[in-house]
Each structure stands twice: as C-alpha cells, then as structure tokens.
Amino acid sequence: MFAADFEYYRAGSVAEAGQLLAAHPGAKLLAGGHSLIPLLKLRLAAPAAVIDIGRIAELRGISTDGDGLRIGALATHAEIAASDAVREHAAALAEAAGQIGDPAVRNRGTIGGNVAHADPASDLPTVLAALGATVTVAGSGGERSIAVGDFFTGVMTTSLGENDLLTSIRVPSAAGRGTAYVKFSHPASRYAVIGVAVSLGIGTKGGGWISKIKGEQKETVCTEAAVAVGGLVPTPVRCGAVEAALNDQPPTAETFAAAAAAASGDIGDDLLGDVFASGEYRKAVAPVYVRRAIEAAAGRAG
Amino acid sequence: MKVPVRITVNGRLIEREVEPRLLLVHFLRVFAELTGTKVGCDTSQCGSCTVLIDGVSAKSCTTLAVQADGADVTTIEGLADGEKLHALQESFWNKHGLQCGFCTPGMILASHELLRTNASPSDDEIRHGLEGNICRCTGYQNIVRAVRDAAGTVAAADK
Ligand SMILES: Cc1cc2nc3c(=O)[nH]c(=O)nc-3n(C[C@H](O)[C@H](O)[C@H](O)COP(=O)(O)OP(=O)(O)OC[C@H]3O[C@@H](n4cnc5c(N)ncnc54)[C@H](O)[C@@H]3O)c2cc1C
Ligand code: FES
Ligand code: FES
C-alpha cells in the first residue's frame, strides 16, 4: 500500500515545527508514525504536507521535576516501560506502556503521538486520566498547560489546535500510593477493549483523642482513590462513584467488589463496540477489570 | 517532491532521492536489492518486515525511508558473519523453527531484539517477545525452542 504523495519537512526544533505548521495549513505532524503511517497507507488521511518532529532533541527524555515526572512528547513506549523514574512515581504508566502492541511498536511509538491521536482503544490516556496528568502544548500564542480531563474531547479528537504541538506531559508523583493498569487486550490488535487505571493510598482513620474518648479503634482505610476506565468509551472516564466507594473504607475484598460494581453508573451509555466485543458486553465485564485493577493497586500501596 | 536519503544497510551506504511516502521496506527491497525482508500484512500486524534500525527492532512497513535517513539498518542478510551463520539462524535451522520461511527473517530479527533486552528469557517471555510476529506454518513451538536454544548458545559464547 502506498500513501498519497505528500511534501515532507523535518523540523529541527519546536520553534521550527511551529513555523512549518503555520506555513503549511492542514499539515500533519509525524512522531513515531505508528498511528499516522497506517492511516496514510489506507488513505484515511492524505495531508498535503507531513512535518517530521521525530528528531527534535528538546522533545525527548524523561526526568523527575519537583513532585513528579516530566515526560517528553517523543519518549517511546519502550523507554517509558523501562524507566526507573516512571516505575517509582507512576508504576501504572510503565505497566501500560509495556503492554502496548508489541516490542517493535513500542520501540517507535511515542507518548505524545499516542495522546495526540486520542484513539479510544489506546492505553496511555486512561492511565494519565487516573494519575491527574497535565499536557504541555506549544502553540502560536506560546506555551500552555491542559489538564488531561479537559484534553480529550471525543473519539480521536482533542483540544489541540491546528498549530499546536504537544511538547511534554507532567505526571504528579504517586509514590507511596499503589498504581496499576489492567487491560483486556484485543486478541489480534492488542489495543485495549477495556483498560482500567487505578491509583490508591492506604492510610489510617481515627486514633486521635476524640476517637479515644469515643472508644473508637484506629482503622486502616483506602485514601485518595483515583479510577479511570477507557477502551469502551469515547474518552477516558473518571469513576467518581467507584472512588467514593473506596475512600475511607477498609481495603477488603468486600470493599473492592462493591466499589467495582459502581463502575457501570460511571461508564454511562455512550459505549463503543466492534464485531469482537459489543459495547454492552464491554460494559458488563468492565467491573471485573475495575476490581482487578483496584486489587493490584492496593497490593502495591503503602 | 523528492528528498535525499542516506541509509547504511548491513554496512553498505545507499543514497537515493526518494518520494517521502516511500516505505523503508521498499527502500530495502528495491534500492538495496535485499529481498529477505518480507511484506506480509502491510498493516503493521505480522512482523515479517521487521528489521533493526540502529540496532533496535522496527516494522519497516510502518516506517518511512526518510525516518531512517542517516541510520544503520540491519536486515536478515546482514546477520551472518560471512559464511558463519548467526546463533539465531543456526538455532532456527537446527530446531526446525520454520516451514515455508516467509515469517522467518522477521522472526529472527524480533528474536534478536528479545535477546538484546533479555539475555535469558523464559518460554513465556519468548512468546511475549514475539507477540508482533505471526507465523502461519509452525504453530510456534519450534520457534520458541529455537530462540531458547539460541539464548543458550549466546550465553555460552559470552562466558
Ligand atoms: C500494530 C500496532 C499495535 C498497537 N497497539 C496499541 C496498543 O495496544 N495500545 C495503544 O495505546 N496503542 C497501540 N498502538 C498505537 C501506538 O501506541 C502509536 O505509537 C501511538 O498511538 C502513536 O504514536 P506515534 O509516535 O507513532 O505517533 P504518530 O503516528 O507519528 O502520530 C499520531 C498522531 O498524533 C499527532 N502527533 C504526534 N506527535 C504529536 C505531538 N507531539 N504534538 C501534536 N500532535 C502530535 C500526529 O500528527 C498524528 O495525527 C499500536 C500501533 C500499531 C501499529
Ligand atoms: S508487513 Fe509489516 S507488519 Fe506485516
Ligand atoms: S514458517 Fe511459514 S509463516 Fe512461519
């Protein structure tokens, strides 16, 4: 298969990419190419120009900054999966990146491309939603930050403008909490049929002097629960009801099962399905994956 | 529009003016005249087009030649040292890791990637490492045996 012909420009810097975008309206950015090239080959996209940002050094690298991670847009899935800093501060992100496609896909696909592409079957958007990440964007008006919750606007659509370039992603550290990503992989494509990301703390409640007077015992409870579900919905959904059913409750199998059952309400009825798994089927099994992800995160907390 | 591309394929520098839409696999098959790299699915699924770009595995049907400009590319033809086969090639041969052989160049380069990142993989890790490569003949059992065998040979040679 051959893509329709296009003009090719290679940007050496973020500033140059911005100039090229302004000069070539409708141009597509090329990072790893593992979503764009298949689309070009199928002629589902036929831009007049492609701007290659794959060699821009300032978009590379993973570093810790203050209380979290700064992940450059060009960090590959393989780099994220292997990064000690990511494993320490956002284990679920390394776990999800390591489950994308296959090793060759992970060697070339980037986090920036994965997030900008906004495929509902992608893994990283769901994890970033649970971890409360922020996307940094360079546009004609300078640099700005967008919370992940406001970034994804629909199936393969984001709040990125025509001349915007995603430069990096900030992930607040979840160290001390347990995080996990559990996925129902499509058996052929390995994209997410259902993906669940959880971040969970285990702390104590009570034990202060008021509790002592009241004769209450110090109790171990779930804290700071953050749960996001993707794959079966147009954009990752934060599960407020599941989170509420976890917080302040003891970390027991009963709590996890009851909380997971609340996911159906959070997921709603705007469902995606295909010949392999209908939306209704996905919604019916999603709570199982929610429970597994909660259990995995709880096992890593503390 | 044509753009100049310089790719070192198995140690030989090849320079061409190419259309930007040219895929790396076609650069290798047409311009480098190395047809060991196969196009199976042409949709990024089967791995028969796997090559090494600067030593790291990639699907050459999902990579533009311009993206590999300046890189060192290794194809199946570049793995042997003259007449001496690479340990993986020996093992695929000895363990019957192939039948028709169509998937084999990609399987061997994907196995190369696996052993680069994990010198002594378990059978389960071998299967996961080859997740992006499809074989329609062997049923995979002998491919797993071949990779296990090669890992042992490489480990012994390193001692
Ligand atoms: C066989 C196969 C299996 C896969 N399996 C999975 C899977 O299981 N889970 C999963 O999550 N993904 C999967 N993917 C997709 C993979 O993760 C892609 O790498 C990723 O979605 C896109 O990243 P890229 O760097 O390749 O982006 P590209 O393909 O280069 O770009 C994708 C889109 O994003 C835009 N873009 C890229 N970078 C930027 C930027 N910095 N700023 C603004 N816009 C940008 C491009 O213009 C384009 O529209 C799979 C892909 C393949 C081929
Ligand atoms: S031909 Fe490239 S993955 Fe099948
Ligand atoms: S040996 Fe025939 S496809 Fe693998």
Side-chain angles (χ1 to χ4, degrees):
Chain A
M1 287 184 289
F2 296 90
D5 207 6
F6 52 79
E7 297 196 340
Y8 172 83
Y9 302 96
R10 191 177 287 160
S13 64
V14 171
E16 196 188 341
Q19 289 156 11
L20 286 163
L21 278 170
H24 301 280
K28 275 279 176 199
L29 296 173
L30 173 72
H34 272 51
S35 291
L36 184 60
I37 294 171
L39 286 184
L40 295 175
K41 287 171 70 180
L42 294 167
R43 303 209 177 190
L44 292 171
V50 167
I51 299 165
D52 189 351
I53 57 169
R55 297 174 194 233
I56 302 180
E58 58 196 294
L59 295 180
R60 298 204 165 278
I62 300 170
S63 53
T64 45
D65 96 64
D67 179 34
L69 296 165
R70 181 210 162 269
I71 304 179
L74 287 180
T76 63
H77 307 321
E79 285 164 357
I80 292 168
S83 159
D84 288 335
V86 178
R87 287 188 201 183
E88 182 184 338
H89 295 284
L93 187 60
E95 194 173 21
Q99 290 179 53
I100 289 178
D102 58 64
V105 170
R106 297 196 286 272
N107 283 340
R108 299 210 53 94
T110 68
I111 188 169
N114 189 285
V115 169
H117 194 59
D119 187 329
S122 279
D123 297 301
L124 305 185
T126 307
V127 186
L128 296 174
L131 297 179
T134 314
V135 173
T136 308
V137 176
S140 24
E143 200 173 79
R144 64 187 198 282
S145 296
I146 308 172
V148 157
D150 299 323
F151 183 79
F152 299 104
T153 53
V155 174
M156 291 181 168
T157 46
T158 68
S159 51
L160 284 175
E162 274 273 297
N163 292 344
D164 284 341
L165 182 110
L166 193 166
T167 53
S168 67
I169 295 178
R170 247 207 116 258
V171 185
S173 176
R177 273 166 279 160
T179 71
Y181 181 72
V182 176
K183 170 182 183 181
F184 174 175
S185 292
H186 188 288
S189 75
R190 291 174 295 280
Y191 273 97
V193 173
I194 299 167
V196 184
V198 173
S199 169
L200 191 69
I202 304 278
T204 49
K205 178 170 88 167
W209 62 271
I210 297 183
S211 322
K212 279 204 186 111
I213 293 169
K214 286 179 158 176
E216 284 169 3
Q217 294 294 313
K218 215 162 144 180
E219 205 188 342
T220 304
V221 292
C222 300
T223 62
E224 298 174 273
V227 178
V229 174
L232 73 168
V233 277
T235 62
V237 168
R238 270 293 286 266
C239 298
V242 178
E243 294 169 4
L246 287 169
N247 285 331
D248 277 339
Q249 298 303 312
T252 60
E254 293 74 42
T255 301
F256 299 159
S264 303
D266 287 321
I267 290 166
D269 292 314
D270 191 3
L271 301 171
L272 302 176
D274 59 15
V275 285
F276 170 73
S278 69
E280 292 69 31
Y281 169 74
R282 294 179 195 217
K283 186 174 170 174
V285 282
V288 176
Y289 286 85
V290 174
R291 180 175 50 74
R292 289 181 191 168
I294 295 170
E295 286 167 355
R300 293 173 189 169
Chain B
M1 183 194 221
K2 284 205 173 186
V3 290
V5 165
R6 295 161 53 93
I7 302 176
T8 304
V9 184
N10 303 332
R12 182 163 65 99
L13 177 66
I14 299 177
E15 295 181 76
R16 285 287 189 289
E17 297 261 321
V18 305
E19 287 185 12
R21 62 177 169 167
L22 183 79
L23 298 170
L24 178 60
V25 66
H26 294 128
F27 185 94
L28 297 171
R29 291 178 58 90
V30 176
F31 294 135
E33 296 182 6
L34 295 170
T35 52
T37 307
K38 306 299 181 209
V39 179
C41 65
D42 210 2
T43 54
S44 326
Q45 307 284 331
C46 76
S48 68
C49 64
T50 306
V51 298
L52 307 181
I53 303 179
D54 291 329
V56 174
S57 70
K59 293 181 175 183
S60 61
C61 78
T62 314
T63 307
L64 299 172
V66 286
Q67 288 180 290
D69 182 22
D72 271 309
V73 172
T74 307
T75 69
I76 190 68
E77 291 92 342
L79 222 48
D81 180 9
E83 290 295 298
K84 191 182 173 325
L85 292 182
H86 187 274
L88 277 163
Q89 292 171 307
E90 283 286 351
S91 296
F92 269 71
W93 183 2
N94 291 333
K95 299 290 169 191
H96 289 283
L98 62 143
Q99 285 177 29
C100 80
F102 191 88
C103 70
T104 314
M107 280 292 176
I108 289 184
L109 289 163
S111 304
H112 190 280
E113 175 74 7
L114 171 66
L115 298 184
R116 180 182 73 83
T117 50
N118 181 357
S120 53
S122 65
D123 281 10
D124 196 45
E125 287 168 336
I126 293 172
R127 288 175 187 278
H128 276 291
L130 299 179
E131 226 161 23
N133 294 68
I134 293 172
C135 175
R136 293 282 85 147
C137 300
T138 63
Y140 302 99
Q141 305 289 1
N142 285 349
I143 292 177
V144 174
R145 283 190 192 110
V147 177
R148 199 197 302 142
D149 185 65
T153 317
V154 172
D158 284 350
K159 268 183 198 150

